[in-house]
């Protein structure tokens, strides 16, 4: 009998959830950033391990709600947490165990979970042992604790094995050949957002979003037309940069990520549009897919 199930990746912003999902899939489909609060909605990756199908669900980080957009992000994480077969809770090796205690309170349905101590390459061994020991008193709550470093590729096999052990018997839920059930346009929008996070500082990445208007597939090239939405007129100059330098860098970086995934040439047409106060505008947020009712 085969096994299959949904595994939600839960943790604070910047814990390494999206990086872990990409790394376990062996393909980059989720956006990653050094800046926190990068992921805004759930996305998934389908990983096959022998006769087990693991559907990872990446989520926005658990954080304080401020704007309407942040409320949506938190709701996304809480929904993914309540609606899965297993939770992988990511705790960076530098984090204190208090954050895990908060997670235990949020996990109202007491869905079983595995703790991943992430970014272990960032601490000395002594500190790592201390961190692991601090979780010991909660050992009745979790199924396993696995130290992982994505940059050093430590812990991947152990983690996949333990996840498979904890999934229910079930027929496969998706075609085993599929990498994800996400739409290509959503993945590409994420890559453009990632390029904005890389190239523009301060609040602009948080007050911008990307909509893919169309993807025209021609013989040797995909033509992608995308809108970058920003909150204020003054941000237009920042996104575009002197003589268009900044938007050129954003476009080049995003195009390279797109081409790596599609293995085809891409032509990216970026347009910048001001939509005042969009991060607080419930109706507009719904229009572009941030709909808590979904
Ligand atoms: N040194 C090191 N850095 C890592 C590791 N895993 C992730 N990172 C870095 O941590 C940063 C945050 O990674 P993300 O995957 O975007 O984190 P996230 O949990 O998805 O963050 P949000 O989407 O904001 O909630 C990025 O700069 C990653 O490159 C790791 O194992 N070691
Ligand atoms: Mg993320």
């Amino acid at each position: 009998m085969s096994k299959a199930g949904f595994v939600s990746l839960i943790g604070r912003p910047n814990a390494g959830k999206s990086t872990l999902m990409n790394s376990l899939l062996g393909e980059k489909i989720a956006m990653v950033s050094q800046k926190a609060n990068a992921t805004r909605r759930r996305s998934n990756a389908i990983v096959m391990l022998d006769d087990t199908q693991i559907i990872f669900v990446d989520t926005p980080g658990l954080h304080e709600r401020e704007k309407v957009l942040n409320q949506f992000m938190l709701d996304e994480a809480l929904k993914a947490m309540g609606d899965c077969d297993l939770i992988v809770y990511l705790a960076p090796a530098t984090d204190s165990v208090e954050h895990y205690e908060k997670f235990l309170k949020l996990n109202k349905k007491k869905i079983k979970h595995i703790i991943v101590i992430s970014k272990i390459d960032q601490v000395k061994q002594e500190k790592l042992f201390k961190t692991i020991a601090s979780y010991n008193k909660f050992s009745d709550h979790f199924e396993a604790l696995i130290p992982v470093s994505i940059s050093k590729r430590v812990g991947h096999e152990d983690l996949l094995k333990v996840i498979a052990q904890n999934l229910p018997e079930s027929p496969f839920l998706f075609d085993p050949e599929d990498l994800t059930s996400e739409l290509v346009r959503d993945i590409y929008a994420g890559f453009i957002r990632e390029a904005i996070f890389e190239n523009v500082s301060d609040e602009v990445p948080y007050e911008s979003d990307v909509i893919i208007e169309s993807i025209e597939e021609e013989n040797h090239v995909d033509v992608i037309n995308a809108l970058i939405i920003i909150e204020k007129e003054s941000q237009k100059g920042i996104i575009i940069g002197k003589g268009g330098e900044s938007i050129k860098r954003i476009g080049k970086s995003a195009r390279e990520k797109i081409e790596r995934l599609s293995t085809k040439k891409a032509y990216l047409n970026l347009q910048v549009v001001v939509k005042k106060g969009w991060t607080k505008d419930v109706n507009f947020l719904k229009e572009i897919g941030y709909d808590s009712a979904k």
Side-chain angles (χ1 to χ4, degrees):
M1 185 65 179
S2 61
K3 286 180 161 193
F6 287 87
V7 179
S8 293
L9 299 170
I10 301 289
R12 294 208 301 140
N14 211 250
K17 302 176 291 296
S18 305
T19 311
L20 180 66
M21 186 171 86
N22 287 335
S23 176
L24 294 171
L25 180 67
E27 275 291 348
K28 180 181 171 60
I29 59 164
M31 75 165 287
V32 164
S33 176
Q34 290 179 352
K35 300 188 177 95
N37 282 323
T39 303
R40 286 191 183 149
R41 43 179 130 218
R42 279 173 285 175
S43 72
N44 65 58
I46 303 163
V47 174
M48 298 300 302
L49 185 76
D50 305 323
D51 55 356
T52 303
Q53 182 170 62
I54 310 170
I55 304 124
F56 286 104
V57 180
D58 185 21
T59 67
L62 299 174
H63 65 294
E64 301 301 320
R65 52 201 97 172
E66 299 152 33
K67 296 176 184 166
V68 185
L69 178 60
N70 291 84
Q71 177 67 54
F72 169 85
M73 288 159 63
L74 186 61
D75 286 348
E76 281 284 279
L78 295 178
K79 256 188 255 171
M81 213 157 119
D83 189 21
C84 64
D85 299 285
L86 180 70
I87 293 171
V88 169
Y89 176 80
L90 270 86
T94 46
D95 250 19
S96 100
V97 74
E98 283 160 34
H99 299 294
Y100 172 66
E101 292 181 71
K102 284 188 196 154
F103 156 77
L104 285 178
K105 284 192 190 127
L106 286 174
N107 184 13
K108 295 208 170 73
K109 289 192 188 166
K110 299 220 178 330
I111 294 194
K112 61 178 179 173
H113 63 275
I114 294 168
I115 300 177
V116 159
I117 306 292
S118 64
K119 306 190 186 183
I120 59 167
D121 54 285
Q122 285 186 334
V123 295
K124 295 215 169 82
Q125 206 167 36
E126 201 181 328
K127 162 79 181 150
L128 177 61
F129 288 153
K130 270 194 190 149
T131 300
I132 293 173
S134 69
Y135 288 87
N136 273 348
K137 66 174 173 197
F138 298 100
S139 60
D140 289 347
H141 291 80
F142 55 84
E143 306 302 315
L145 181 147
I146 301 175
V148 167
S149 163
I150 290 148
S151 14
K152 300 253 156 74
R153 274 207 76 84
V154 173
H156 286 56
E157 283 74 22
D158 287 349
L159 177 60
L160 287 175
K161 245 188 254 163
V162 175
I163 289 172
Q165 280 163 8
N166 281 284
L167 288 184
E169 286 190 348
S170 156
F172 294 156
L173 305 170
F174 291 90
D175 184 336
E177 299 288 312
D178 288 352
L179 294 180
T180 176
S181 69
E182 297 304 313
L183 299 175
V184 167
R185 58 196 316 132
D186 290 337
I187 297 174
Y188 289 0
F191 289 167
I192 300 169
R193 284 192 54 236
E194 182 177 283
I196 295 172
F197 269 70
E198 279 166 3
N199 285 286
V200 184
S201 57
D202 301 329
E203 87 287 359
V204 183
Y206 296 104
E207 297 191 347
S208 61
D209 211 332
V210 173
I211 297 174
I212 304 289
E213 288 212 298
S214 64
I215 303 174
E216 295 149 24
E217 291 184 25
E218 293 174 12
N219 261 353
H220 300 291
V221 63
D222 286 343
V223 181
I224 300 150
N225 295 301
L227 295 181
I228 298 178
I229 304 166
I230 45 174
E231 281 226 351
K232 302 178 194 119
E233 198 62 47
S234 60
Q235 294 170 335
K236 212 169 191 170
I238 302 173
I239 289 271
I240 293 171
K242 244 193 211 152
E245 237 173 65
S246 175
I247 196 141
K248 262 187 222 151
R249 259 187 283 129
I250 292 170
K252 180 170 183 284
S253 162
R255 178 175 51 76
E256 286 168 358
K257 296 175 212 282
I258 291 169
E259 288 178 341
R260 220 168 290 144
L261 185 66
S262 70
T263 64
K264 198 175 166 191
K265 280 228 162 306
Y267 177 78
L268 189 54
N269 181 19
L270 295 176
Q271 239 185 303
V272 185
V273 180
V274 181
K275 172 81 189 162
K276 287 210 173 85
W278 73 267
T279 56
K280 300 175 201 85
D281 180 340
V282 179
N283 290 329
F284 181 73
L285 285 167
K286 268 191 193 160
E287 228 172 86
I288 61 171
Y290 297 112
D291 187 350
S292 285
K294 271 193 199 161

